[in-house]
Amino acid sequence: GQSLEQPSEVTAVEGAIVQINCTYQTSGFYGLSWYQQHDGGAPTFLSYNALDGLEETGRFSSFLSRSDSYGYLLLQELQMKDSASYFCAVTSWGKFQFGAGTQVVVTP
Amino acid sequence: DAGVTQSPTHLIKTRGQQVTLRCSPKSGHDTVSWYQQALGQGPQFIFQYYEEEERQRGNFPDRFSGHQFPNYSSELNVNALLLGDSALYLCASSPWTGEDTDTQYFGPGTRLTVL
């Protein structure tokens, strides 16, 4: 079967670094994406990895290891506005499967 | 550049009724996907439409059906509503080919409440 696992909640202070891990089990894997969703809002795209390695976009970086079926999202220099849910999502056989999400709580 | 739009914003129905939700994709996108998001959960993939045909489907019963029009807009229909169908329904668009094909651009969603 297919599954994605990510922590349910992470709490950190402003300015800190947070890493959200995602492990997946799926056939026909094509790529791993990350989305941010604020309460009451729609998910917004953050990053995408189809190949092994690190992708950096400003304060956010995403990593993929296809051999380990593992990826992570790194949030640096945390700001209060980063408080949100973060979802990893795999693309496989043309379908998108999202994880249950990680609630990131940023405290002053 | 118009993003993904959905209507209505909110909807209240009773068990057994039927509902139709609408979506217009982001300008330049020809592929529309629908998701169901229950409170506290991640979006669950319902199906994807391209060239007016259902191309991929998730684990949803036949009560969930859809349509795509020549202008790429799409509808999601749910028949015989159950209490468990209460959720946020998200539409996402993407191009079928090109760099962004695996990026989902989401609309604001339709909040469906079934009483």
Side-chain angles (χ1 to χ4, degrees), chain B residues 18 33 49 52 64 72 96:
Chain B
Q18 178 263 342
S33 300
Y49 275 84
E52 303 178 50
F64 289 77
Y72 310 125
W96 184 255

Side-chain angles (χ1 to χ4, degrees), chain B residues 21 24 27 101:
Chain B
L21 311 181
S24 289
S27 178
T101 190

Side-chain angles (χ1 to χ4, degrees), chain B residues 30-91:
Chain B
D30 52 10
T31 304
V32 173
S33 300
W34 286 92
Y35 294 83
Q36 179 193 67
Q37 187 176 27
L39 206 60
Q41 299 296 315
Q44 297 297 306
F45 177 75
I46 302 175
F47 42 53
Q48 180 188 67
Y49 275 84
Y50 169 67
E51 289 190 330
E52 303 178 50
E53 290 186 12
E54 184 182 292
R55 299 292 178 158
Q56 296 288 348
R57 190 178 183 94
N59 295 325
F60 279 82
D62 292 345
R63 298 188 298 111
F64 289 77
S65 63
H67 189 78
Q68 186 181 33
F69 300 93
N71 67 352
Y72 310 125
S73 67
S74 177
E75 288 181 349
L76 165 66
N77 301 292
V78 188
N79 294 323
L81 283 167
L82 304 174
L83 295 180
D85 294 332
S86 294
L88 179 67
Y89 287 85
L90 294 162
C91 169

Side-chain angles (χ1 to χ4, degrees), chain A residues 3-96:
Chain A
S3 67
L4 287 97
E5 290 190 14
Q6 55 180 124
S8 59
E9 184 171 322
V10 172
T11 300
V13 297
E14 270 187 298
I17 298 173
V18 158
Q19 178 172 318
I20 303 171
N21 298 320
C22 175
T23 57
Y24 59 87
Q25 190 173 17
T26 186
S27 58
F29 174 85
Y30 195 79
L32 182 71
S33 304
W34 290 91
Y35 290 81
Q36 178 193 61
Q37 186 177 31
H38 288 98
D39 280 348
T44 56
F45 171 78
L46 293 177
S47 69
Y48 174 73
N49 297 70
L51 303 175
D52 286 358
L54 191 68
E55 293 282 342
E56 297 181 79
T57 309
R59 294 186 297 113
F60 295 173
S61 302
S62 60
F63 172 83
L64 174 66
S65 169
R66 295 174 69 108
S67 60
D68 295 323
S69 298
Y70 163 77
Y72 67 72
L73 178 70
L74 196 68
L75 286 66
Q76 302 180 78
E77 301 172 18
L78 272 180
Q79 302 176 6
M80 295 299 293
K81 67 178 182 180
D82 297 330
S83 290
S85 291
Y86 293 81
F87 298 93
C88 60
V90 298
T91 313
S92 63
W93 302 119
K95 300 182 184 181
F96 298 86

